[in-house]
């Protein structure tokens, strides 16, 4: 488990109320065409396993102090985390 995933998990809980498991943090290494199509750059599972969260925004951008995170339901038990600066 990395410091980045722990900070991201805390930020998601603080801003959205979703409890995530930092040990399930995974980067997707999406290519430019996948990113253009909306592919998540990272994913993480909720602690209870009911949903997966992820984002098209870089994880480091999501944990910036000025960013406020929002969760949007994108279907199939998946929530997209959006960083609004």
């Amino acid at each position: 488990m990395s410091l980045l995933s722990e900070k991201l998990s805390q930020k998601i809980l603080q801003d959205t109320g979703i409890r995530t498991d930092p040990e399930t943090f995974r980067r997707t290494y999406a290519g430019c065409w996948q990113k253009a199509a909306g592919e998540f750059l990272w994913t993480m599972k909720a602690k209870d396993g009911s949903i997966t969260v992820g984002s098209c925004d870089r994880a480091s951008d999501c944990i910036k102090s000025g960013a406020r995170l929002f969760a949007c339901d994108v279907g199939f038990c998946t929530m997209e985390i959006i960083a609004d600066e």
Side-chain angles (χ1 to χ4, degrees):
M1 178 170 33
S2 70
L3 182 60
L4 175 70
S5 64
E6 289 180 33
K7 285 184 175 183
L8 181 59
S9 183
Q10 290 171 356
K11 181 80 168 157
I12 291 170
L13 176 60
Q14 174 187 348
D15 289 358
T16 68
I18 300 171
R19 294 184 184 278
T20 54
D21 182 358
E23 292 183 12
T24 63
F25 177 82
R26 299 289 180 265
R27 294 183 191 275
T28 63
Y29 301 103
C32 62
W33 294 107
Q34 293 165 315
K35 290 177 192 175
E39 179 73 25
F40 286 168
L41 300 180
W42 58 268
T43 60
M44 196 181 321
K45 294 193 182 290
K47 285 226 184 219
D48 64 4
S50 62
I51 61 170
T52 299
V53 299
S55 184
C56 297
D57 295 319
R58 296 180 331 184
S60 58
D61 289 341
C62 290
I63 61 172
K64 287 182 180 175
S65 60
R68 170 96 166 103
L69 303 181
F70 297 91
C72 299
D73 186 358
V74 293
F76 301 109
C77 300
T78 304
M79 300 289 282
E80 180 176 4
I81 302 298
I82 300 170
D84 182 31
E85 296 188 39

